Amino acid sequence: TSHGSSHDEL
Amino acid sequence: MNIFRLTADMTHLMSVIVLLLKIHTIKSCAGISLKTQELYAIVFTCRYLDIFTDFISFYNTIMKVIFLWTSFSIVWYMRYHKIVRRSYDKDQDTFRHVFLMLPCLVLALLINERFTFKEVMWTFSFYLEAVAILPQLVLLQRTRNIDNLTGQYIFLLGAYRALYILNWIYRYVTEPNYVHWIPWMSGLVQTLLYGDFFYYYFLSWKNNVKLQLPA
C-alpha cells in the first residue's frame, strides 16, 4: 500500500 | 533504495559516529546539547515502534537498532559517564523539552494520516525531529569556541536532512502514488532550520577560519 511506503524510511 | 536515500542514511550514520568519536576519544561532550540528544532518543523511540511488528528489510531493522542504540548511549554518556559528563555545559543548555514536545504532540493528534497509537507516535516523531535541533543551535550560538568535531557533527546532520529531500523528489517522480505530506513538510522545516548554520559553516570553510556564529 502507499501508506506503508513512507514507513520504509528511517 | 535510491542513491539519495542511501547517502542520506550514511550521512546520518556518519554524524552519529563523529559525535561518538568525540565522546570516546576526547572524552568530551563540550558544545553538545543534551536536550537535543534526549529529544532524538524520544524521536527514534516513537518512530520505530514498528521495529518488532513490521519487517521491511534487514537493512531497515539494523539501521533502526543502530539509531536507537546510539541515541540512548549518547544520552547515557552525557548524563552518567564520570569523565564525559564533566564537560557538559549545563548552564548554557537551558532549552525546555516540554515547549517543543507539547506542541508537536498536539499537532500529531490533529494532523496525521491515521488516528491510531502507532501512527500518531510516528507522526509526532517527525514533528519533533523537525525542531529537535533547536536546543543545539541555541547552545552553538552561546558557545564561543566551536570545535571541529561539533561543527562537523551538525553539518552532517543538516546534510542528511537535505539529502532526504532529494530522495523524496526522486521517489515522487519514479514511484506511482508516492505522496507523504507529513514527512515532507516537517523535513522541509527541519532543513530550513539549518540554513543559517550552513551559511556560516561554508563561510568559515571558504575563508579557512574557525567556525563562530554571530551573537
Side-chain angles (χ1 to χ4, degrees):
Chain A
T1 63
S2 70
H3 175 77
S5 67
S6 66
H7 293 48
D8 64 10
E9 290 175 354
L10 300 157
Chain B
M1 175 81 79
N2 60 68
I3 189 75
F4 305 113
R5 162 74 198 285
L6 186 64
T7 319
D9 288 348
M10 291 305 118
T11 310
H12 188 189
L13 195 61
M14 269 163 59
S15 75
V16 173
I17 291 170
V18 165
L19 183 51
L20 282 170
L21 207 68
K22 181 179 153 97
I23 288 171
H24 277 279
T25 59
I26 314 174
K27 294 271 182 291
S28 161
C29 62
I32 301 295
S33 164
L34 177 61
K35 312 279 180 173
T36 286
Q37 297 306 320
E38 286 174 342
L39 290 173
Y40 281 143
I42 295 165
V43 162
F44 296 129
T45 306
C46 295
R47 186 172 307 166
Y48 301 156
L49 288 174
D50 64 353
I51 191 166
F52 298 112
T53 53
D54 300 294
F55 181 78
I56 293 153
S57 68
F58 184 65
Y59 169 85
N60 199 279
T61 306
I62 290 289
M63 293 298 271
K64 282 175 176 168
V65 171
I66 291 174
F67 289 134
L68 280 169
W69 177 256
T70 51
S71 62
F72 276 94
S73 23
I74 289 164
V75 168
W76 182 85
Y77 270 106
M78 292 184 72
R79 288 180 84 109
Y80 305 115
H81 189 279
K82 65 181 195 302
I83 300 168
V84 175
R85 72 172 187 191
R86 272 188 236 147
S87 56
Y88 170 53
D89 208 349
K90 197 181 174 185
D91 302 327
Q92 301 270 48
D93 191 23
T94 51
F95 218 101
R96 300 275 301 275
H97 301 85
V98 67
F99 291 135
L100 295 176
M101 289 176 67
L102 211 60
C104 290
L105 189 63
V106 172
L107 198 63
L109 287 166
L110 295 174
I111 305 172
N112 51 62
E113 285 182 24
R114 267 191 314 190
F115 196 72
T116 62
F117 175 71
K118 236 162 69 175
E119 192 64 20
V120 170
M121 285 296 105
W122 182 84
T123 310
F124 168 66
S125 84
F126 272 96
Y127 297 153
L128 189 61
E129 191 190 357
V131 291
I133 195 66
L134 285 176
Q136 178 63 69
L137 292 176
V138 168
L139 180 62
L140 209 61
Q141 208 155 49
R142 289 176 177 172
T143 312
R144 296 284 43 171
N145 281 310
I146 303 163
D147 62 78
N148 286 335
L149 286 178
T150 305
Q152 279 156 15
Y153 166 68
I154 295 157
F155 172 76
L156 288 166
L157 268 182
Y160 135 66
R161 292 317 311 182
L163 285 161
Y164 250 97
I165 293 178
L166 296 181
N167 158 62
W168 293 326
I169 295 169
Y170 182 86
R171 289 188 75 169
Y172 178 73
V173 173
T174 56
E175 289 175 32
N177 306 319
Y178 181 80
V179 180
H180 291 290
W181 287 105
I182 289 168
W184 290 355
M185 285 303 120
S186 40
L188 191 65
V189 168
Q190 191 178 357
T191 312
L192 290 175
L193 290 180
Y194 285 91
D196 203 46
F197 171 81
F198 274 141
Y199 175 74
Y200 291 105
Y201 188 85
F202 282 121
L203 219 59
S204 82
W205 175 75
K206 202 181 87 190
N207 302 331
N208 204 17
V209 293
K210 209 162 169 52
L211 175 64
Q212 214 171 47
L213 301 187

